[in-house]
Amino acid sequence: MEVKKERNRINVFIDGKLAGFATFPDLEEGIVVINHTIVNPAYRGQGIASKIMEAFVEVLIETNRKCRASCSYAANWFLNHEEYQYLLD
């Protein structure tokens, strides 16, 4: 599994194929909105969405940004990971 972090996108590849991604465009200065967390159906059940979220919080911390979660998976993930709720706007 290869995780590629970009400023506003996380991509996860397995054997060179895109297995999942998240997008989080800038909303305003210092705040992004995570609007999509998508896992290819062929790769579901392998913890990919969780890996995407872990990489997402790393990007937030590295770039000193906060987020809003319009994606239902991301919103739920933050509810279950209280240690990262400080990153919510």
Side-chain angles (χ1 to χ4, degrees):
M1 183 180 310
E2 179 184 9
V3 178
K4 290 192 175 182
K5 297 185 284 187
E6 300 175 12
R7 177 172 168 75
N8 294 96
R9 184 178 171 106
I10 304 292
N11 294 304
V12 173
F13 296 91
I14 296 179
D15 297 327
K17 296 178 182 168
L18 183 64
F21 67 92
T23 56
F24 42 99
D26 293 317
L27 187 61
E28 56 188 75
E29 183 68 32
I31 300 172
V32 298
V33 59
I34 184 165
N35 56 0
H36 296 291
T37 305
I38 307 291
V39 176
N40 181 318
Y43 297 101
R44 289 187 181 154
Q46 298 180 36
I48 292 170
S50 184
K51 288 286 186 197
I52 290 169
M53 290 303 297
E54 291 168 7
F56 173 63
V57 298
E58 288 174 5
V59 169
L60 291 178
I61 293 166
E62 290 165 1
T63 59
N64 196 31
R65 293 184 286 175
K66 296 212 179 241
C67 75
R68 295 182 189 162
S70 67
C71 165
S72 61
Y73 179 85
N76 232 2
W77 189 90
F78 276 105
L79 284 175
N80 292 310
H81 292 83
E82 292 181 14
E83 68 273 26
Y84 296 117
Q85 289 181 2
Y86 74 96
L87 294 169
L88 294 170
D89 176 59

